[in-house]
Amino acid sequence: MSGGARRLPCGGRVDRGRPLECRFNGRRHHGLAGDTLASALLANGVRLVGRSFKFHRPRGVMSAGIEETNAIVQLCGDGEPNVLATRLWLTDGLAARSVNCWPGVAFDVGAIADKLWRVLPAGFYNKTFIWPPGFWRFYEYFIRKAAGLGRAPTAAEPARYEKRFHHCDVLVAGAGPAGLTASLAAARSGARVMLVDDQPEPGGDLLNAPAEIDGRTALDWVAAVVGEIDACPDVVRLSDATAFGYYDHNFLGVVEQRPKPPAIRERVWKVRARQVVLATGAIERPLVFADNDRPGVMLASAARAYVIRFGVRPGNTAVVFTNNNGAYGAAFDLAGNGVAVAAIIDVRADAPRSLLDKASALGIEVVLGHAIVGVRGRRQVAGVEAAPLEHPARARRFACDLVCASGGWNPTVNLFSQSGGRLRYDRGRACFVPETSVQAAHCAGAANGAFALGDCLAEGFGAGAAAARAAGYDVDIPGPPAATPTLPLDIEPLWEAPHGRRTAKAFVDVLNDVTTDDIRLAVREGYDAVEHLKRYTTGGMGLDQGKTANANIIGVLAQTLGSDIPAVGTTSFRPPYRPVSLGAIAGADIGPLVRPARRTPMTDWHEAAGAVMYDVAVGWRRPGYYPRPGETMAQAVSRECLSARDRAGMYDSSPLGKFEITGPDATTLLNRIYTNAWDDLAVGRGRYGVMLREDGRVLDDGVTFRLGAHQYLMSSTTGNAELVYAWLERWLQCEWPDFQVFVVPVTTQWANAVVCGPRARETLRCAGTDIDVERDAFPFLAIRNGTVAGFPARVARVSFTGELSFEVNVPARYGLDLWRALMAAGAEFGITPVGSEANQVLRVEKGFFAMGIETDGMATPHDLGLGWIVGKKKTDFVGKRSLARDDAVGGVRRQLVGLFTEDPRIVLPEGSQIAAPDGARTDGAIAGHVTSSVHSPTLGRSIALALLDDGRSRGGETVTIPLPEGAVRATVTRPVFYDPEGARMRG
Amino acid sequence: MLLIPCPWCGPRIEDEFACGGELKPGRPRDPAAVSDAEWADYVFNSDNVKGSRRERWWHAKGCRRWFTVERDTVSHRIAAVGAGDGG
């Protein structure tokens, strides 16, 4: 028969006109459009689909949905791992294989673990850490090899993903009966509705179980309602889309699979909803009994779904095991579709007359007050043993190849709980239900514990109307549709069926192989709080996050403790509700878009010149060094340094933070922000300044020029440009709102090229400038306006290299042309572009500290040798008061020093710890660390800067730097290695 | 992801803002006149309440104004925002 031998002749939501072929573990199988891989496998009689995580026990399809614990597959061809076969929609040629088995699912070497169960108890993994001592390093290899399920693909993901923002009045999660009536009510009011559902077609459980609504079949009703919803102009309806996370302020994440157009593989919607309706349904709870994991044991709702929705007989002869009325419907549907039902084993002493009568009419034996106490068959269920609850030994045998179990229903409260909502244990329905919402969320239907269809329709309608009203829409519409009344669940909780066999395992978490014995062991070992138990046993920590396990774990725990379920409580529900692929989370933000690079007008030039580019501070892409053919990095850096020292160099310092500060109170602002005084700075001159945090620690430094009586140009370090701006604004807006000052960030308005070196002046002249660049006319720390190479320019004499330097600032649009003109002008003087590597060497040679490298949030200006810049006469500035506190003036301070290694060839690794100086403490204490360390081509030896305890008074002392290759000794020096008087930069 | 009602720009996502911490009494008028302990209280200590508190936020990727937000640290519910000098 088309679509597999176990396909029913008609019925189901599969397209019998579209047969598909797929491969599973190398075998070819036939399915139909509308199948999942799981339904196709069942249709082809495949029972063994995987091996379990820890014991490698044979497993078969357990569910028909997102709660699947067993049918976990890997897509072939370096494809996605850990895909649920119950959620994998069949496409022609689809190829997948089982995970966690070798060499194959039928013969699996790892299955030996099932025989070794005595040495693999709960907490086994934790115990290997501590006992026997030191054995962890032997275990680790095997545990790591055994850990995990599928294999991550090795190649880059070729598919495209995207993210999209969406705003709506009412977001409805779930398109089952409750979600549909909620959407209908809200959409009719005119609200902007978004309806998301994780199935390819709407209907929810109506797809799996026959019902009648408003006098027609449920699916006809669904089609009509969806038609009306879709006709509303402001409705967005997504299929194959799961709301996976409910975050603060009604912000939800929705992952949409197979979106249209098909160019995108998955799309994440970031939705801000004014109101949310959670109609997320419920998941059936398995029953816990001996060997309840055998292939052929599945949820009653799943067996029903395979028959009704997929037209597949999941077995020939079924035994239904239940503690509630719901599973009877499943039994009747199975019986009506060619599956023999050997018996309904009902835990309860009695069942409603109507159900018993119908069973009798269908020839189904109902065995009341019994439980399944054993399962026969290992790779495939061959039969069950059922016994009275009080007499587990008095078992009766039933031959079957399918066991359909129902332990009640767990409302899918995950999103509600993520939103901060509180849960309540409902004894009547034996499940946790939503109690109070913290956010603007309304629960409806099975998610709210309303399991009867009529209640779902009514609750959904009410929630949708309430949400629309709360979002400001008028709802004046007829009431909800009516459904044929159904029986209540009448559940009698059974957390664990009795069994007498010592070797049988009764699983509470089938995916993670956690048994009821594991729970009792954990309790004996003291892990009896529900959150501890979870981590110790790993129950509920698998791929499915315990969708079917958690309730039974709580039940068994409460029973073991002789406690009450509300007292035991639940573990936290955290996003995501289901695994979301990393591709979907990343969206289009991959490769160069992970963090888009900031580029200066000259970045193209650097790249064209062959520079090795670095992505550094706050996203700027900068040249590291410009190697010539055949040059090593060290050779290139050395050449660039020497060129700047001996002839001329040029670097792009456009990313430096720049702020124009204007207004009558500009000088006062600088006086308060910087440690030094600014009143006497002449127009056209600049001054170095250090700003502190209020705790007296250095925040940033830079040179500020006075452009006019009430106008300054401040610079900050590149990395702190945003921080300094926020800092200035905070003081102005929050503390000194009466100041008349504007701060305007102009960092990217200006591009600048810094020409440095002894031939810098000639280079500038050669490029052509109307500024008098002679030393007397244009001294160090002065700024001039004019033209350079024909471009309007602000030229400043500042130096970060210790050489004579001109920082030529031009409006950004001229940056590249300016750079080219200066390179051309400097050619005859041997001008060389200087990258950040050489810049680092040059500044270390000069002992200029770098923010964030020599400062670590602890350094005061005194620690850095900047005592001279702290205005003693100033009454106040930010941070001044803290400099007078005990911790700043007394005790041991870590201070900036220079280091000369005894062996000049050794370049100390940056970050190396410095042992206490000779003769000082001998307790192995750390006395400091190397902050910057380079080979200085100018000096022909290694040099380093370091922060050292009381370093400023340790000049000449020897310190030891312990390294893996052996200790290195170094002499403490002043932190300046070149031109200590600064004659060159002032020249 | 909070939705913060900026007094100048309206409701915007948290990504656009930076939190400046708990709103504390202003800077002492004459820092030299306060004791080390009082100064430390101003610089380092905050109440860190579990519940409603006032804090400063900076609309870094928007209007670049500092303003106050009254936020519940448990539920994140924002009760009010204030423009002006942050007081």
Side-chain angles (χ1 to χ4, degrees), chain A residues 928-948:
Chain A
H929 69 278
V930 176
T931 53
S932 298
S933 176
V934 296
H935 170 78
S936 162
T938 317
L939 277 66
R941 61 153 300 143
S942 71
I943 54 174
L945 295 175
L947 289 170
L948 180 66

Side-chain angles (χ1 to χ4, degrees), chain A residues 430-575:
Chain A
C431 60
F432 283 95
V433 294
E435 186 176 42
T436 37
S437 295
V438 173
Q439 302 200 36
H442 313 255
C443 293
N448 200 32
F451 299 126
L453 178 55
D455 295 343
C456 289
L457 295 168
E459 278 198 7
F461 204 85
R469 262 188 218 106
Y473 292 85
D474 285 331
V475 182
D476 180 22
I477 37 186
T484 26
T486 44
L487 288 170
L489 270 189
D490 285 343
I491 182 172
E492 186 178 308
L494 174 73
W495 302 114
E496 182 183 13
H499 72 87
R501 276 184 279 172
R502 200 170 47 85
T503 54
K505 296 186 183 78
F507 289 89
V508 278
D509 184 336
V510 182
L511 197 154
N512 264 4
D513 273 350
V514 180
T515 66
T516 50
D517 286 340
D518 288 332
I519 291 180
R520 287 186 278 271
L521 176 75
V523 169
R524 281 201 301 281
E525 297 190 346
Y527 297 91
D528 56 4
V530 67
E531 294 280 9
H532 290 157
L533 181 89
K534 168 176 170 175
R535 282 146 188 87
Y536 196 62
T537 62
T538 72
M541 288 172 69
L543 198 62
D544 63 340
Q545 288 289 289
K547 287 185 176 60
T548 51
N550 289 340
N552 283 330
I553 290 173
I554 293 164
V556 174
L557 176 62
Q559 212 161 52
T560 307
L561 293 171
S563 174
D564 202 20
I565 287 180
V568 166
T570 68
T571 52
S572 303
F573 294 88
R574 294 193 181 84

Side-chain angles (χ1 to χ4, degrees), chain A residues 26 108 282 357 397 420 456 474 519 561 694 713 780 819 854:
Chain A
D108 172 26
D357 288 347
R397 288 191 171 189
C456 289
D474 285 331
I519 291 180
L561 293 171
E694 196 70 290
L713 177 65
F780 184 57
W819 180 274
E854 273 73 34

Side-chain angles (χ1 to χ4, degrees), chain A residues 247-249 251 272 438 694-695 725-726 729-731 733-735 737 745 876-879 881-882 885-886, chain B residues 1-3 13 20 26-27 31-32 34-36 39-40 42-44 56 58 64-66 76-78 85:
Chain A
Y247 306 94
D248 294 313
H249 290 188
F251 189 72
R272 183 80 68 175
V438 173
E694 196 70 290
D695 65 1
Y725 179 56
E729 287 292 350
R730 181 170 192 165
W731 286 102
Q733 293 177 31
C734 301
E735 290 290 342
D876 192 19
F877 54 82
V878 174
R881 177 64 182 81
S882 289
R885 278 167 47 85
D886 290 348
Chain B
M1 178 88 76
L2 307 185
L3 187 68
I13 58 169
R27 192 171 192 263
V34 301
S35 69
D36 272 9
W39 182 252
Y42 155 68
V43 177
F44 300 110
R56 282 202 167 109
W58 156 247
R64 294 166 163 177
R65 301 304 297 173
W66 284 93
H76 292 304
R77 194 168 290 127
I78 293 175
D85 66 358

Side-chain angles (χ1 to χ4, degrees), chain A residues 226-432:
Chain A
V226 169
E228 183 178 345
I229 291 170
D230 286 351
C232 295
D234 289 328
V235 171
V236 174
R237 185 172 67 81
L238 303 180
S239 301
D240 279 312
T242 313
F244 63 82
Y246 195 140
Y247 306 94
D248 294 313
H249 290 188
N250 266 22
F251 189 72
L252 289 95
V254 175
V255 60
E256 183 186 12
Q257 294 179 299
R258 312 190 298 173
K260 292 99 198 154
I264 308 285
R265 183 161 187 262
E266 291 178 5
R267 175 187 289 141
V268 164
W269 294 73
K270 299 180 171 189
V271 183
R272 183 80 68 175
R274 293 168 116 172
Q275 300 284 319
V276 172
V277 176
L278 297 171
T280 45
I283 289 175
E284 197 166 23
R285 183 187 306 162
L287 282 166
V288 178
F289 50 95
D291 293 324
N292 58 338
D293 66 323
R294 293 303 187 201
V297 177
M298 66 169 68
L299 295 171
S301 59
R304 188 179 206 180
Y306 285 118
V307 169
I308 301 296
R309 182 173 180 186
F310 298 102
V312 170
R313 282 184 293 115
N316 292 320
T317 308
V319 166
V320 175
F321 182 22
T322 185
N323 66 352
N324 64 78
N325 289 339
Y328 280 75
F332 301 154
D333 282 339
L334 288 169
N337 284 284
V339 180
V341 179
I344 296 174
I345 315 282
D346 195 329
V347 170
R348 301 171 299 175
D350 200 5
R353 192 75 253 160
S354 61
L355 297 180
L356 295 176
D357 288 347
K358 186 157 185 196
S360 159
L362 288 164
I364 302 172
E365 181 184 357
V366 178
V367 188
L368 293 169
H370 276 57
I372 291 182
V373 296
V375 175
R376 288 184 297 122
R378 186 176 149 73
R379 289 190 189 178
Q380 157 69 59
V381 170
V384 296
E385 290 164 11
L389 284 168
E390 336 54 86
H391 303 289
R394 297 217 312 246
R396 268 181 72 191
R397 288 191 171 189
F398 296 89
C400 64
D401 62 351
L402 178 66
V403 179
C404 307
S406 175
W409 290 82
N410 298 321
T412 304
V413 294
N414 302 56
L415 290 176
F416 173 78
S417 195
Q418 288 171 23
S419 79
R422 271 212 309 277
L423 302 174
R424 167 180 69 82
Y425 186 71
D426 184 303
R427 285 180 202 284
R429 286 169 285 186
C431 60
F432 283 95

Side-chain angles (χ1 to χ4, degrees), chain A residues 203-232:
Chain A
D205 204 41
L206 299 175
L207 297 165
N208 304 325
E212 270 193 18
I213 298 173
D214 272 353
R216 48 186 159 171
T217 72
L219 292 181
D220 285 347
W221 175 83
V222 169
V225 167
V226 169
E228 183 178 345
I229 291 170
D230 286 351
C232 295

